[in-house]
Amino acid sequence: MSQRLVVIGSQWGDEGKGKMTDYFACRADMVVRYQGGNNAGHSVVFDGKKYSLQSIPSGIFNPRTVNVMANGMVVNPVSVIAELDRLHQQGVTDYQLFISNRAAMVMPWHSALDGAYENMKGESLIGTTKKGIGPAYSDKYSRVGLRMGDLLEPEYFAERLKAALDVKNRELKMLGLPEFDFKEVYDQYMEIAGKIGHMITDTSKLINDTLLTDAKVLFEGAQGMMLCIDHGTYPFVTSSTPSAASVPVGAGISPKWIDNVLGVAKAYCTRVGEGPFPTELFGDIAHEIRERGHEYGTVTGRPRRIGWFDAVVARYVARLSGIDNWALMLFDVLSGLDKVSICTGYECDGEILDTPPSTISRLAKCKPVLIELDGWKEDITGAKSFEELPEAAKAYVRKIEEVTGVPVGMISVGPDRTQTITVANELKNF
Ligand code: GDP
Ligand code: IMO
Ligand code: MG
């Protein structure tokens, strides 16, 4: 009987999903990315080297692991090839990678449109990664998209490309953007098909066949639940659903397979891009955490906004995704602070809220209700067990469990694979 583990971001992205996925991938048979695209930036650190992945699953470093980019993703094949080239240059040459024939394809006009829409929004821009993610998902749902499997049938690809360009070129023209030439795009994508066509397959079948064996299968989420198109801080969100609930659709499997969800959360919070952020910190503490945690975007290099751990968000996300355990990340970054705070509720218009409001207009008015705990001075980057942590750090972990109602199953005390403490027995056995 297979074992499954879903690794999802529980805040606003960049929680350390890449690190946790790689950690488990060392003993997993399959790693599946089920949503998002190359807007993600997942870092993996081991043997003194740092790797950054955008759309390729974080199991790519283990030659035994089958990596799958599933149908729920938006795949930019140009970016996949560039990522693979980069990995080759870094010595990663022995890997297994498959791409769903049903995955939506990010085309060059999508990034052009992403930039144009952002410009048109003026001050209310989202602050997207400009990778064309929103326009690619929009075209999927408007049914003018191309899919990865189309590349395998040149005549059909030509037909779909013509149909797409008929619509998209008109839109580009209206916006004063350069149009795309059918022949040029066709030739470029046929060349791409020659390079990665052998990886494109029915990944739903591949995953299901694996689930029926005694394999270990990981599902790697991208972004974070507060960036979810349905449940996040709309409109300051991405265009997919990072939830564990989107794994079945995004991977082409039955929901019955989902039974173990690891919510990856920083010991504090960060956010890149615009949008309300109730526990946001400014000044010295934000600066200290940003520098110590190297909180600059992997994809865009933007400084990340910093805030205290938000238990309102954590409880909400646990409810939406059925989180069994937290992986508490970047815990080492909090060492050295005199006091640390956790947000347990929001105060809004004289009311105390224990769950986020649906509109950002109300969320922007929310003030965090904070509890303050003692900090700790010790360097914890070498801690190998929960018992080794300073008492104040242990108290912080216990408080997070208490205010979120979810156990802390993993604690990360540094970026390296080895700087990981597993607390939960079910995770030790995965
Ligand atoms: P992801 O998008 O969720 O995979 O996260 P990112 O890779 O974008 O950002 C997480 C950053 O934190 C990366 O630079 C990681 O190398 C780093 N990181 C992960 N876990 C830890 C940790 O426990 N401590 C420290 N100091 N850094 C960590
Ligand atoms: P990982 O997987 C952090 C943010 C962008 C922007 C909003 C919409 O590394 O955690 P998009 O390009 O998706 O249309 O941008 O979402 N965003 C992320 N923030 N981590 C990510 O991915 C993100 N992917 C998108 O900054 O605010
Ligand atoms: Mg990231």
Side-chain angles (χ1 to χ4, degrees):
M1 181 62 169
S2 59
Q3 275 184 270
R4 285 84 50 194
L5 179 64
V6 180
V7 175
I8 63 158
S10 310
Q11 295 160 329
W12 282 272
D14 303 326
E15 300 91 345
K17 298 173 291 293
K19 173 180 165 165
M20 287 321 302
T21 305
D22 165 72
Y23 177 80
F24 285 106
C26 294
R27 45 191 203 255
D29 300 278
M30 181 175 266
V31 177
V32 181
R33 272 273 314 260
Y34 57 92
Q35 45 76 229
N38 63 334
N39 49 347
H42 294 184
S43 325
V44 172
V45 181
F46 59 92
D47 296 342
K49 267 197 192 165
K50 181 166 179 163
Y51 304 86
S52 174
L53 299 164
Q54 274 83 58
S55 45
I56 291 176
S58 300
I60 201 77
F61 306 102
N62 182 7
R64 213 178 54 81
T65 306
V66 175
N67 289 275
V68 179
M69 297 170 63
N71 56 280
M73 289 187 74
V74 284
V75 178
N76 181 336
V78 177
S79 159
V80 172
I81 292 169
E83 261 184 275
L84 288 173
D85 285 347
R86 224 173 22 249
L87 285 169
H88 276 247
Q89 281 161 19
Q90 290 185 286
V92 182
T93 50
D94 190 10
Y95 54 78
Q96 302 181 62
L97 178 63
F98 294 96
I99 304 172
S100 169
N101 50 12
R102 290 180 170 84
M105 190 154 37
V106 183
M107 300 302 288
W109 45 90
H110 291 137
S111 37
L113 290 169
D114 199 351
Y117 295 151
E118 282 284 90
N119 289 340
M120 279 189 277
K121 286 178 185 150
E123 283 193 0
S124 56
L125 88 174
I126 309 286
T128 73
T129 58
K130 300 200 178 155
K131 301 286 181 189
I133 305 301
Y137 273 116
S138 299
D139 279 0
K140 166 177 169 169
Y141 289 102
S142 304
R143 289 147 294 176
V144 288
L146 291 117
R147 308 207 295 184
M148 290 302 289
D150 302 351
L151 289 174
L152 303 181
E153 295 178 43
E155 276 177 31
Y156 179 63
F157 177 74
E159 213 178 282
R160 295 292 305 154
L161 178 61
K162 271 200 191 95
L165 283 177
D166 273 351
V167 176
K168 302 318 286 187
N169 271 342
R170 268 185 253 189
E171 189 180 347
L172 291 161
K173 192 174 176 184
M174 249 167 7
L175 295 169
L177 295 171
E179 293 170 52
F180 285 85
D181 175 67
F182 169 82
K183 179 84 173 64
E184 264 176 43
V185 180
Y186 179 83
D187 289 346
Q188 185 195 355
Y189 280 75
M190 283 302 105
E191 201 184 316
I192 286 171
K195 287 187 184 158
I196 58 167
H198 62 285
M199 297 177 187
I200 302 171
T201 188
D202 181 345
T203 55
S204 158
K205 178 150 180 20
L206 182 68
I207 301 166
N208 274 276
D209 287 350
T210 308
L211 286 169
L212 293 169
T213 69
D214 61 359
K216 290 178 178 171
V217 180
L218 275 175
F219 297 93
E220 177 182 14
Q223 288 80 50
M225 276 303 290
M226 295 313 281
L227 293 173
C228 171
I229 185 78
D230 277 76
H231 303 288
T233 51
Y234 191 89
F236 296 104
V237 291
T238 190
S239 300
S240 66
T241 305
S243 168
S246 87
V247 172
V249 177
I253 63 168
S254 157
K256 292 178 183 156
W257 290 111
I258 306 306
D259 57 0
N260 192 2
V261 183
L262 183 65
V264 186
K266 282 178 179 166
Y268 47 95
C269 282
T270 61
R271 172 162 209 177
V272 248
E274 308 304 317
F277 183 13
T279 67
E280 186 161 16
L281 286 164
F282 302 93
D284 290 349
I285 297 184
H287 179 75
E288 208 175 320
I289 294 177
R290 182 177 303 113
E291 292 312 308
R292 191 119 35 87
H294 307 292
E295 294 292 3
Y296 293 89
T298 327
V299 177
T300 56
R302 291 176 288 179
R304 294 175 183 151
R305 297 155 68 194
I306 311 286
W308 292 124
F309 185 90
D310 188 336
V312 179
V313 161
R315 287 192 300 261
Y316 176 60
V317 168
R319 156 158 60 96
L320 293 167
S321 270
I323 290 173
D324 297 291
N325 284 284
W326 298 120
L328 194 67
M329 310 301 290
L330 292 102
F331 198 32
D332 52 300
V333 173
L334 293 184
S335 295
L337 298 177
D338 292 328
K339 296 282 179 191
V340 280
S341 296
I342 296 173
C343 165
T344 57
Y346 295 155
E347 198 263 300
C348 184
D349 294 333
E351 237 187 299
I352 299 294
L353 308 181
D354 67 353
T355 190
S358 69
T359 62
I360 53 161
S361 81
R362 277 206 95 198
L363 189 63
K365 286 197 241 163
C366 288
K367 300 273 172 283
V369 177
L370 296 172
I371 46 170
E372 197 176 65
L373 286 84
D374 286 335
W376 56 94
K377 297 285 171 197
E378 295 89 336
D379 175 359
I380 59 170
T381 54
K384 295 281 175 236
S385 68
F386 182 73
E387 289 66 38
E388 277 176 55
L389 295 172
E391 285 308 317
K394 283 185 199 162
Y396 186 81
V397 172
R398 294 286 178 241
K399 186 53 82 179
I400 284 187
E401 294 182 321
E402 183 192 318
V403 297
T404 63
V406 174
V408 172
M410 312 280 306
I411 301 172
S412 176
V413 293
D416 194 87
R417 221 183 238 174
T418 56
Q419 293 172 298
T420 313
I421 300 171
T422 310
V423 185
N425 281 330
E426 70 264 33
L427 296 171
K428 280 184 190 159
N429 295 333
F430 184 87

